[in-house]
Amino acid sequence: KRNFNTEGSNMVTNSLSRKRFSILIADDVRETRRSPRLMLAEIPNVDVVAMANNGRQAVDMVKEYHPDIVIMDVSMPEMDGVAAYREISQLYPEIGCIMMTGQYDISTVRDEMKSEAQEYLLKPFTVEELAKAISRLNVHVEEHRQKQALLELQRQKEAALKQMAEEYIAAKRTD
């Protein structure tokens, strides 16, 4: 059994933004899905929005729930975590990924994944390790949120200018 005491992770979790992060967990082992979910309950501003049994289901659930971060196992049936995240990142490049693995040679996993995921956790991991990984992913997610906000402002500005130009033309204004 794990001790979910988070005293050591308070400084890490304090660095997370005030915005909430939605998370999808994908692993074919029920207990391995349950443990991160319990750990995430101890981390502020984090909500688990879905849990998938395999990579294919994770891709489908991402389309439905649009999480900020996916936490997934490398080895799963139907579609492994690497293939699933590759598909997810093609559809939604803004979604961050923490890849979990039971393989003890993390360099092999990194080579296999070709640096597609932003973070890696070796199972079993602690609340502190998970909180630190989420804190580091915070940068990726926040950068994307800011880019999206700027793009939306640009779209609104262009639409307003277009509307204003049409109104000037309709009113036959020349000023």
Side-chain angles (χ1 to χ4, degrees), residues 22-131:
S22 57
I23 295 183
L24 177 142
I25 301 170
D27 197 304
D28 58 317
V29 179
R30 183 176 174 208
E31 185 59 34
T32 308
R33 288 189 309 270
R34 187 175 169 271
S35 291
R37 185 179 189 146
L38 291 172
M39 290 179 194
L40 290 166
E42 300 294 325
I43 301 172
N45 302 324
V46 172
D47 295 312
V48 176
V49 295
M51 295 177 65
N53 298 323
N54 59 60
R56 173 55 46 214
Q57 188 179 36
V59 172
D60 293 342
M61 288 180 142
V62 162
K63 292 174 184 175
E64 182 178 348
Y65 294 99
H66 304 283
D68 297 306
I69 298 170
V70 295
I71 300 173
M72 62 175 53
D73 188 25
V74 171
S75 302
M76 291 185 286
E78 293 188 42
M79 178 185 276
D80 66 37
V82 176
Y85 186 65
R86 192 171 290 131
E87 189 171 324
I88 290 166
S89 66
Q90 290 291 320
L91 297 168
Y92 308 101
E94 69 276 12
I95 294 178
C97 181
I98 299 172
M99 204 59 83
M100 303 180 289
T101 183
Q103 298 176 23
Y104 291 99
D105 184 3
I106 202 79
S107 63
T108 302
V109 174
R110 283 189 181 135
D111 290 343
E112 178 185 45
M113 295 171 55
K114 298 181 180 133
S115 300
E116 293 200 31
Q118 292 85 17
E119 293 290 329
Y120 309 89
L121 290 174
L122 184 61
K123 295 189 263 182
F125 50 86
T126 65
V127 173
E128 291 80 13
E129 291 168 325
L130 181 58

